[in-house]
Amino acid sequence: MEKLRLGVLALIVINKAGGLIYNRTFGEGLNQLNTNDYLVLAGTFHGVHAITARLNPFKGQQYQQHTLSSTGETILSRPEPPSGLEVMESENFRLQCFNTLTGIKFLLFTDTMQANVDVAMRKVYDLYSDYVMKNPFYQLEMPVRCETFDRKLNSYIREINNSR
Amino acid sequence: MPIQVYSFYIFDRHTECVYSKLWHQPHQQQQQPPLPSSTHTTTAPTSTTTTITTTANTTNGPHHGRHHPVRSAKDQASDDAKLIFGTVFSLRNMVRKLGGEDDAFIAYRTQHYKLHYYETPTNLRFALLTEPAALSMRNVLHQIYINLWVEYVVKNPLAPVEHKGGEGVRNEMFEMGLDKFIRGLM
């Protein structure tokens, strides 16, 4: 039986040390893994992300970037920090990764045709900021157990998935 | 639409990198700002720095005032190949775990580059690094496999079955065909 793969399939949040702090699946698009597998997946992805940032073909140049100013002289500009994996595609799904400035990674698994994943990611980050970070009982770097976050996330994802 | 291709790697079923080629020169020593402690003076960049001169001493010449130990470009390339293999191997396993056994990892993108991946049923793996805006290059990798690998490596009666250390892959026909094919994309 062919599985129905539609819309946003799963969300995983990885803390800055590579630990899994949140995972939730929506719908039946992806294989169900057990908790241990999710933990391994989070750790693996954390490592892979670091390597992909290092593999930048222009890493030698990034220490110094010159831009031509309007007066015609070269000025030194601050180099862009190397970025790791942002989007990964496979035949059955797409993975979008958003790395916050504080090193938390949000992985959003969608089907291959899903549009505006950036917007969805932004919204998920907003929800995280509002309902996890502002929760006085939440301890940093620890697994997220916030009922409001779960609820808001669920209703938002359902909204996206139903609109298709 | 021309696209920029950075490098290309082939890994055999024993995870060894049997072929790699770079189409852009990493400029590691040229454009460094002179460090205060350094007595060397780097050559002043001419008018704009978009013109970057690559000299032969990039490979094994003296390194100017950098902290890292002397490393040849060859070592660097071999390190990159190992890192790329590790990355695609992990991602492929991750994809298979999540998407099912029939799923295949196609590509990933960062801000600076995009890596395209193709794997044959015999576990021969092809990886191609291009600019991030490139569209899917899966058919390109497939073409390389059919038209170049099968034709010039597999059908070569002198090539060994296993390509240890790239033996049998680095033949003139394959290299020329590949270079021509990739340059046709750029």
Side-chain angles (χ1 to χ4, degrees):
Chain A
M1 195 187 75
E2 182 59 30
K3 280 182 196 163
L4 196 64
R5 302 175 199 272
L6 266 186
V8 179
L9 305 171
L11 170 72
I12 288 181
V13 184
I14 303 172
N15 70 12
K16 64 180 169 218
L20 180 74
I21 56 172
Y22 189 79
N23 81 294
R24 176 155 294 259
T25 51
F26 314 96
E28 296 289 300
L30 297 175
N31 285 354
Q32 289 296 321
L33 304 184
N34 58 38
T35 317
N36 204 24
D37 282 346
Y38 275 115
L39 284 165
V40 171
L41 190 144
T44 311
F45 186 85
H46 185 73
V48 167
H49 189 275
I51 295 174
T52 55
R54 269 211 48 180
L55 279 174
N56 179 11
F58 297 106
K59 56 181 169 250
Q61 281 163 288
Q62 75 195 8
Y63 295 104
Q64 194 181 25
Q65 281 182 348
H66 296 269
T67 45
L68 205 61
S69 68
S70 53
T71 53
E73 57 196 39
T74 54
I75 48 170
L76 279 176
S77 62
R78 192 188 167 92
E80 268 179 61
S83 101
L85 191 152
E86 287 181 343
V87 182
M88 183 189 81
E89 291 164 57
S90 88
E91 275 178 11
N92 295 346
F93 66 89
R94 225 170 89 99
L95 157 62
Q96 182 109 9
C97 172
F98 172 61
N99 195 10
T100 70
L101 287 174
T102 46
I104 296 163
K105 289 189 252 308
F106 288 79
L107 313 187
L108 211 52
F109 296 81
T110 65
D111 71 309
T112 46
M113 308 300 280
Q114 177 77 33
N116 290 332
V117 186
D118 288 346
V119 179
M121 184 67 90
R122 185 86 222 164
K123 179 73 181 170
V124 169
Y125 186 40
D126 283 355
L127 291 175
Y128 174 82
S129 321
D130 280 347
Y131 299 104
V132 178
M133 295 318 280
K134 290 180 189 171
N135 180 345
F137 301 105
Y138 176 66
Q139 285 179 296
L140 278 178
E141 307 289 309
M142 295 307 274
V144 176
R145 291 187 216 288
C146 303
E147 221 181 278
T148 340
F149 178 63
D150 282 349
R151 219 171 35 239
K152 295 277 179 186
L153 183 70
N154 255 334
S155 66
Y156 175 62
I157 299 294
R158 201 173 308 135
E159 193 185 305
I160 301 178
N161 288 356
N162 287 344
S163 67
R164 282 167 48 104
Chain B
M1 192 181 71
I3 56 153
Q4 209 59 46
V5 176
Y6 300 145
S7 51
F8 175 68
Y9 300 86
I10 303 176
F11 304 94
D12 71 359
R13 63 199 176 96
H14 307 293
T15 76
E16 196 192 338
C17 177
V18 292
Y19 186 79
S20 71
K21 187 164 172 69
L22 299 169
W23 277 275
H24 80 96
Q25 296 296 320
H27 327 275
Q28 285 181 338
Q29 276 71 51
Q30 269 71 37
Q31 296 295 308
Q32 303 298 340
L35 296 176
S37 60
S38 167
T39 51
H40 291 280
T41 49
T42 46
T43 50
T46 55
S47 59
T48 65
T49 48
T50 46
T51 57
I52 295 155
T53 52
T54 323
T55 51
N57 68 4
T58 331
T59 46
N60 41 21
H63 289 231
H64 299 272
R66 296 300 301 168
H67 298 294
H68 57 72
V70 176
R71 295 178 46 70
S72 71
K74 204 177 165 196
D75 284 353
Q76 183 72 50
S78 131
D79 278 3
D80 276 358
K82 283 173 194 159
L83 287 177
I84 285 171
F85 185 81
T87 310
V88 295
F89 185 79
S90 305
L91 287 175
R92 172 187 103 104
N93 287 350
M94 204 172 108
V95 163
R96 285 208 175 178
K97 209 170 233 182
L98 284 166
E101 281 299 304
D102 61 328
D103 201 358
F105 162 51
I106 296 173
Y108 78 77
R109 177 175 65 74
T110 78
Q111 242 173 56
H112 305 284
Y113 69 97
K114 183 168 177 177
L115 185 143
H116 307 262
Y117 179 70
Y118 175 71
E119 183 174 343
T120 71
T122 50
N123 282 4
L124 193 67
R125 297 163 168 107
F126 296 83
L128 185 73
L129 270 77
T130 67
E131 61 176 310
L135 295 173
S136 176
M137 301 276 278
R138 223 169 169 227
N139 52 344
V140 169
L141 290 174
H142 189 64
Q143 290 296 319
I144 291 176
Y145 173 57
I146 327 180
N147 293 337
L148 299 169
W149 180 269
V150 174
E151 289 298 323
Y152 300 135
V153 179
V154 177
K155 290 189 184 173
N156 179 0
L158 299 174
V161 179
E162 302 289 348
H163 307 281
K164 215 160 170 41
E167 198 188 335
V169 187
R170 264 167 250 280
N171 68 61
E172 203 182 329
M173 290 294 274
F174 180 74
E175 296 225 59
M176 257 173 53
L178 181 70
D179 196 55
K180 208 173 142 197
F181 187 54
I182 296 293
R183 284 192 194 281
L185 300 167
M186 300 208 267

